[in-house]
Structure formats: structure tokens, C-alpha cells
Amino acid sequence: KQEVTQIPAALSVPEGENLVLNCSFTDSAIYNLQWFRQDPGKGLTSLLLIQSSQREQTSGRLNASLDKSSGRSTLYIAASQPGDSATYLCAVERSSWGKLQFGSGTQVVVTP
Amino acid sequence: DAGVIQSPRHEVTEMGQEVTLRCKPISGHDYLFWYRQTMMRGLELLIYFNNNVPIDDSGMPEDRFSAKMPNASFSTLKIQPSEPRDSAVYFCASSPPGNEKLFFGSGTQLSVL
């Protein structure tokens, strides 16, 4: 059974620092991995999607890497801003389309 | 585009009552998903549809839960009868053809007293 873990559960950094968020999964036979952002009382917003054949994806200040063999993904957010404060979740897609398994998330606070 | 639209945003009901949650996916999207989020269990996939057809409902917790998608622009998740342990945020999400990215609605906060 696939398990997805995100450590730490919470993180606080001063504005301008780079953020490093970790995601680990137990079964390397994944179809893809997605990173989401969730703001309080809101739905999830997809940030980056990495196919199983890819090693990384980039969008603006965000960069996500994937190492299937070690069961790890890392989300980097460069030069953090208070607007980056949110909960970040990773999710792995198993063999079937759409069957995402989510981690429990890392709650990030960026202080001015 | 208005995004995925869910209604109601909040629902408070008493144990034993029927609850119906509604979702309008993004136009042109052919996959629709229902997820449930709780503090204890995180986000769980309940059921998903492709072209209005249920593909996998193995996440539906009990027979009290049912979901329908009568057409490409509307889906419902029904709980009958509701129980306090059903209290959670229920999310609907959709994705377009050939793209695994999910687009989530804002969710329905359900409280069963």
C-alpha cells in the first residue's frame, strides 16, 4: 500500500529565505507526482506536475524534483514571500488515472 | 472560466437527514473527482467519473454514499442518512482531456450534528 509522507508538518521562515519542502513515498511505481497549494478555507491549486519519466519541473520561483528510485520529491520555492504562506501538499498518482494519494501537507508561514 | 463550482459552501444538518452536494466541473473537462478532507485522514478519493461514467467508487465509505453524473456539466454526491462522522470538507475536482492536472472547487464544509 502506497504511503505518502511530508515532513515537517509545519515550517516558518523569514521573508526572502528559500523554502525546501519534502515528500516521500513508499512505492516507486508511480505514474506522476503533483504539488498543490491550499489556502485556508479554499480548494487546492495545482502548482507543478512531474511525470514519472521526468526529473524536475519549474514554474517561476517554484522548482520540483523527483527521484523515483529513492521515493522522494522536493519542492523548492526561491526567495519566499508572505504570499507564499499556505499548506503545500504532494500527491502521487498510481497506475490509474486520477487516483491521487495525498500526503498530509506542510503548513508554511513566511514572516515579513 | 469560473472554475469548478460547488454548492453549498456550508451545510449544517442533523444526524439522519439526507445531504446532497453539487458540483459543476469546468466546461470541456472529461474527468470529475469527489474527494473528502478531514484532519484525521487527510484527503481521500471517494469516486471519479470519466465522460459521465463512474470509473472507480472503491473509496466510497458505505452504501449511505452515492454519486451521480447525469451530464457533463453536473454531478451530485448524496449521503443518506447522514452521520456525525461524515462531517468533513468535500471537494469536487475536474481535469481536461489528456492532462492529469486537477482543478479543485472551493469545497463544501459539511457538519452533521
Side-chain angles (χ1 to χ4, degrees):
Chain A
K1 180 179 181 289
Q2 176 75 275
E3 291 186 10
V4 183
T5 305
Q6 292 185 251
I7 296 172
L11 186 60
S12 180
V13 298
E15 183 177 2
E17 266 199 21
N18 296 331
L19 278 164
V20 180
L21 306 178
N22 298 304
C23 173
S24 61
F25 46 94
T26 54
D27 186 349
S28 62
I30 64 171
Y31 190 65
N32 63 44
L33 183 145
Q34 292 191 53
W35 281 94
F36 293 85
R37 168 186 173 135
Q38 185 173 26
D39 293 284
K42 302 279 183 67
L44 281 70
T45 300
S46 180
L47 298 174
L48 290 167
L49 184 154
I50 312 176
Q51 300 288 355
S52 61
S53 58
Q54 298 175 318
R55 296 299 298 263
E56 66 176 348
Q57 278 287 340
T58 299
S59 176
R61 293 183 296 112
L62 276 60
N63 174 276
S65 65
L66 174 64
D67 185 343
K68 277 180 52 179
S69 60
S70 66
R72 292 182 184 179
S73 177
T74 303
L75 178 66
Y76 299 89
I77 304 177
S80 60
Q81 304 168 358
D84 295 328
S85 298
T87 297
Y88 292 83
L89 299 99
C90 68
V92 298
E93 188 164 352
R94 296 172 283 171
S95 57
S96 300
W97 188 303
K99 296 196 73 167
L100 291 178
Q101 182 146 357
F102 284 83
S104 53
T106 294
Q107 185 176 10
V108 171
V109 174
V110 181
T111 55
Chain B
D1 199 322
V4 176
I5 299 173
Q6 291 187 246
S7 63
R9 284 299 311 276
H10 300 91
E11 176 82 31
V12 181
T13 191
E14 293 188 347
M15 182 174 63
Q17 297 297 307
E18 176 180 302
V19 174
T20 300
L21 311 181
R22 297 171 176 79
C23 174
K24 177 179 167 54
I26 294 173
S27 177
H29 285 197
D30 59 347
Y31 277 86
L32 183 138
F33 307 84
W34 282 101
Y35 280 88
R36 177 172 71 175
Q37 186 176 37
T38 61
M39 288 294 292
M40 289 296 294
R41 301 173 67 90
L43 268 160
E44 303 172 285
L45 176 64
L46 301 177
I47 184 171
Y48 74 98
F49 297 81
N50 177 224
N51 291 322
N52 314 339
V53 176
I55 302 301
D56 189 331
D57 65 355
S58 59
M60 297 285 261
E62 300 170 37
D63 291 345
R64 298 184 296 106
F65 287 69
S66 63
K68 293 182 180 179
M69 192 165 185
N71 56 60
S73 59
F74 184 65
S75 176
T76 59
L77 178 67
K78 185 179 292 187
I79 308 172
Q80 180 185 20
S82 59
E83 296 183 5
R85 59 195 167 116
D86 301 330
S87 298
V89 181
Y90 291 80
F91 288 105
C92 176
S94 66
S95 67
N99 188 335
E100 297 101 326
K101 260 196 173 186
L102 261 62
F103 295 79
F104 278 77
S106 299
T108 295
Q109 173 80 58
L110 174 65
S111 298
V112 184
L113 307 176

